[in-house]
Amino acid sequence: MLTEDQTCNVHMLTEEEKYNLLKNVIDDYDRKESNLIQILHMAQAIFGFLPAEVQSFIADEMELSVSKINSVLTFYSFFSTKPKGEYTISVCLGTACYVRGGKEVLNRLKDELGIDVGETTDDRKYSLTVMRCIGSCGLAPAMTINGKVYKQVNPNRIKRILGMLK
Ligand code: FES
């Protein structure tokens, strides 16, 4: 299992050390397919995202096909196969947020950032994702930026919110 210290310092590890750490994680989870989602979570924590090389490594170590790994990655939106931006913006499209303007918030973000859902700006500053209910339905529409929750988001405030990140 990753210690708190390892989790905080993964960005300082060499590629080889990252792969060694991932191998330990796979061992800790007994190489079981039933633990694949947890292993992928840890792999994403170590590498920041899950590129093809990391997917192949996991597939080899767990004796699974790469297509099996890929089908899990594409099913769950919290996994990313591309590097994320400095700021990950996630718009809630759960029912309450959707009916109270979540889609407009998302469209405004797409316009301002010039990217679609699942993409990252060329300067690697922003990534845009969507998610389901985060428990702030009473103050919908909601979104998060690097985990910080923004409630009752008005599309007209998007530009100002983005400006405050700079
Ligand atoms: S539906 Fe968006 S917070 Fe609940």
Side-chain angles (χ1 to χ4, degrees):
M1 210 63 50
L2 286 183
T3 65
E4 197 175 311
D5 198 42
Q6 285 173 313
T7 310
C8 291
N9 294 318
V10 284
H11 62 283
M12 294 167 67
L13 299 178
T14 64
E15 282 296 290
E16 188 183 349
E17 287 169 333
K18 287 180 182 177
Y19 278 105
N20 285 337
L21 190 54
L22 178 54
K23 196 168 187 305
N24 290 341
V25 167
I26 294 169
D27 286 338
D28 284 344
Y29 280 103
D30 298 326
R31 300 174 172 268
K32 283 191 186 153
E33 186 176 341
S34 56
N35 291 329
L36 180 58
I37 291 176
Q38 289 93 322
I39 290 168
L40 291 171
H41 267 299
M42 298 303 270
Q44 184 159 282
I46 293 168
F47 288 89
F49 66 113
L50 296 165
E53 313 83 70
V54 173
Q55 294 175 44
S56 297
F57 181 84
I58 296 170
D60 286 349
E61 289 290 325
M62 297 185 68
E63 297 181 3
L64 296 171
S65 66
V66 173
S67 62
K68 169 71 192 175
I69 308 277
N70 209 267
S71 66
V72 175
L73 295 186
T74 48
F75 187 79
Y76 294 102
S77 60
F78 42 76
F79 290 127
S80 176
T81 57
K82 294 189 181 138
K84 289 260 172 129
E86 184 182 348
Y87 297 102
T88 297
I89 303 172
S90 300
V91 179
C92 180
L93 289 183
T95 308
C97 287
Y98 189 90
V99 298
R100 290 166 82 176
K103 194 83 181 162
E104 286 72 39
V105 170
L106 180 62
N107 286 338
R108 189 65 67 93
L109 279 162
K110 286 183 186 175
D111 287 348
E112 288 293 336
L113 300 175
I115 55 174
D116 211 332
V117 172
E119 295 180 346
T120 296
T121 53
D122 289 340
D123 62 2
R124 299 271 290 275
K125 189 129 181 137
Y126 306 100
S127 296
L128 185 59
T129 66
V130 294
M131 60 189 172
R132 296 293 160 194
C133 184
I134 54 167
S136 298
C137 313
L139 294 169
M143 68 177 195
T144 64
I145 301 179
N146 287 358
K148 180 182 175 191
V149 180
Y150 291 72
K151 298 168 184 170
Q152 291 185 310
V153 180
N154 179 333
N156 296 326
R157 281 182 50 219
I158 292 293
K159 202 169 187 155
R160 190 145 54 94
I161 292 171
L162 293 176
M164 284 175 357
L165 299 175
K166 288 174 185 157

